[in-house]
Amino acid sequence: MAFHDKELTVPGTVEVAGRHVKRYHIDQPDRRLEARVVDAAYAYLPSLLPAPDPTTPPASWVVLHRGADTGAYLLAYSWFFDNVVQCRIAIAGQPALDCPDDDPAHFVDLDRPGVGCVWELGVLEHERTAWIRHVLAPDTPDLAGYLADARVEGPVGR
């Protein structure tokens, strides 16, 4: 299979479990994320988020990615200890990764370590730079500025 870009959309920030969560969706070019997959992913999200850290602004970002086959992937990245990122991943519909079935709305924790695939890592690159720019570099952290600084929507992958 030849490599191709996918579509990145940015549906905005929400508050979940005491954290501000920037949301990113990655779709197949010819198939958008289904509403039931999105709903199931955000219902599962609180279980992937850590409690806020008293030394770090309570910020996270999430990538919801629809695979080319039956899979869906929910990656929750959370800042802690001022400048460190924790990643927790839930997957659905991917029996090859130990999902119980091929339902893309039936999320379970991924037991393998991982940080993301080539499409998702572009978002991580942006979030790292935004965190430095708005939280670490200024004399006073600008959480609102960080939350407003999202990667541009459009093709993602290359």
Side-chain angles (χ1 to χ4, degrees):
M1 174 187 275
F3 181 84
H4 66 276
D5 284 332
K6 296 182 182 181
E7 275 301 306
L8 177 73
T9 57
V10 183
T13 301
V14 294
E15 191 168 328
V16 179
R19 299 186 75 84
H20 302 280
V21 180
K22 295 165 75 170
R23 296 180 298 159
Y24 294 95
H25 291 176
I26 298 175
D27 293 305
Q28 295 298 316
D30 58 346
R31 182 180 64 197
R32 309 307 291 180
L33 278 158
E34 303 95 326
R36 72 183 197 91
V37 173
V38 173
D39 292 345
Y42 287 110
Y44 199 88
L45 179 59
S47 70
L48 300 178
L49 298 174
D53 171 349
T55 64
T56 308
S60 298
W61 76 93
V62 64
V63 177
L64 177 56
H65 181 179
R66 187 65 161 95
D69 52 15
T70 56
Y73 309 91
L74 178 64
L75 297 92
Y77 302 91
S78 298
W79 291 104
F80 75 99
F81 196 58
D82 192 42
N83 60 10
V84 179
V85 174
Q86 168 185 309
C87 180
R88 302 243 353 253
I89 302 173
I91 55 175
Q94 188 54 266
L97 293 176
D98 301 323
C99 287
D101 53 44
D102 63 359
D103 180 356
H106 182 194
F107 284 90
V108 296
D109 282 357
L110 177 65
D111 291 331
R112 300 176 188 186
V115 294
C117 73
V118 295
W119 293 279
E120 298 148 0
L121 292 177
V123 175
L124 189 145
E125 290 170 338
H126 173 86
E127 290 300 315
R128 174 195 167 274
T129 303
W131 189 255
I132 292 168
R133 182 174 37 254
H134 296 288
V135 177
L136 299 180
D139 291 334
T140 303
D142 178 12
L143 180 60
Y146 168 74
L147 296 173
D149 187 343
R151 182 166 175 178
V152 176
E153 292 185 328
V156 64
R158 294 179 202 237

